[in-house]
Amino acid sequence: MDLRAIFMGLAFAVMWSSAFTSARIIVTAAPPLGSLALRFLISGLLAVAMARMLGQSWRLNRAQWRATIIFGICQNALYLGLNFVAMQTVEASLASIIASTMPLVVALASWLWLGERLRPMGYAGLLAGVLGVTIIMGARLQGGADPWGVMLCVLGVLSLAAATMSVRGAVSGGNIMMIVGLQMLVGSALLWPFALALETPEVTWSWTLVVAFGYTVLIPGVAATLVWVLLVERIGAIQAATFHFLNPFFGVAVAAVLLGEPMGRYDVIGVVIVTLGILAVQRSRAALR
């Protein structure tokens, strides 16, 4: 892995993790589902336009269309929809920690239900991940974290893990940026009816809201996706996935710096344990390929 790939991986991890902080700013001032539906509409159109500029085709094969629809439903509408609603009462740092456990959830489910083998280091990583999350969740719930919001975050990461497992390898064959853009448009189409039926269009306008929304559209929505695609093309999906182990740390750090969210002793301990667990699982799975 060369220096450029490392820089790209770090940039992706920071951009992905920072999305929870910008989302927290948005949902405290605007309806969560309507904001997310609008974000997906704009990001999706930008991603599709970028895909066309890269020469990618609208014509997807059956597996790619399946991945587009499943991820549009499970990742964009359910995972992010549930997280946006949850972050009205749940801090961005906690939401990012829960979301970052997705590789652990996928590895655990693959082991239990698909019979996927892990090296001893991988099993140790799964145990470490469970321990780290337990430490963080216990401390946060005792500190007054909203149980309903936490449950929505957990349901969201389970939805994302299910989608990831169901479409493994389905996006191979090119047109990745086009698939991502169409996924966003599917998510937007699914969210709009719920936003219009359940939410009132009350917005507390401020420059921070405008900046946060613009950042969410352009950076996590488009730039992070483009960097991820380029990183996978450069070093492969397995090596690229190892950068996910940085997400718990960056998620907590960005929320602490920009939102002033407290970082307690148990948060630090739990984040370190979860981070090491994700790294161990990723390295174990890579070693078996």
Side-chain angles (χ1 to χ4, degrees):
M1 189 181 301
D2 58 24
L3 186 61
R4 183 175 180 182
I6 293 173
F7 176 78
M8 292 168 64
L10 291 173
F12 166 77
V14 172
M15 289 188 287
W16 188 94
S17 302
S18 66
F20 294 90
T21 294
S22 60
R24 173 72 169 165
I25 295 172
I26 292 169
V27 301
T28 58
L33 297 181
S35 301
L36 187 59
L38 181 59
R39 173 226 156 159
F40 280 142
L41 177 60
I42 300 173
S43 295
L45 292 174
L46 289 173
V48 168
M50 189 176 298
R52 293 298 295 164
M53 291 174 62
L54 294 172
Q56 297 184 13
S57 173
W58 300 90
R59 297 183 179 181
L60 309 180
N61 60 44
R62 181 174 298 181
Q64 289 175 329
W65 274 117
R66 179 170 172 264
T68 297
I69 295 171
I70 289 177
F71 266 105
I73 295 171
C74 294
Q75 174 178 283
N76 297 337
L78 289 177
Y79 162 65
L80 286 172
L82 290 168
N83 270 275
F84 263 59
V85 172
M87 278 191 286
Q88 293 178 108
T89 57
V90 171
E91 292 180 328
S93 55
L94 179 56
S96 68
I97 291 169
I98 296 173
S100 67
T101 62
M102 190 274 289
L104 297 175
V105 175
V106 170
L108 178 61
S110 299
W111 171 47
L112 292 176
W113 287 294
L114 301 181
E116 182 176 300
R117 296 180 299 111
L118 292 172
R119 296 168 66 91
M121 178 174 61
Y123 295 115
L126 288 176
L127 291 175
V130 172
L131 175 61
V133 171
T134 301
I135 291 172
I136 295 167
M137 297 278 281
R140 290 297 185 99
L141 289 173
Q142 288 183 356
D146 176 32
W148 172 249
V150 170
M151 187 182 73
L152 292 179
C153 291
V154 172
L155 291 175
V157 78
L158 292 176
S159 173
L160 179 58
T164 301
M165 293 178 62
S166 66
V167 295
R168 284 183 174 181
V171 297
S172 60
N175 294 323
I176 296 178
M177 199 68 188
M178 179 66 73
I179 293 171
V180 169
L182 294 175
Q183 287 172 7
M184 293 180 186
L185 296 179
V186 169
S188 179
L190 290 172
L191 287 169
W192 275 119
F194 292 97
L196 295 173
L198 301 176
E199 297 177 339
T200 56
E202 297 180 0
V203 179
T204 304
W205 290 101
S206 67
W207 70 269
T208 54
L209 172 62
V210 174
V211 170
F213 185 81
Y215 177 88
T216 301
V217 168
L218 296 176
I219 305 304
V222 178
T225 302
L226 179 60
V227 170
W228 177 254
V229 170
L230 296 175
L231 181 63
V232 170
E233 289 180 349
R234 189 175 186 86
I235 63 175
I238 294 175
Q239 280 190 295
T242 59
F243 285 98
H244 279 290
F245 83 91
L246 295 170
N247 290 330
F249 168 76
F250 283 135
V252 172
V254 172
V257 171
L258 296 182
L259 300 179
E261 292 186 2
M263 187 187 305
R265 176 179 58 185
Y266 291 108
D267 289 329
V268 175
I269 294 173
V271 165
V272 170
I273 295 174
V274 170
T275 298
L276 293 175
I278 295 172
L279 178 61
V281 168
Q282 297 286 24
R283 291 180 64 86
S284 171
R285 299 178 75 188
L288 291 174
R289 302 260 176 148

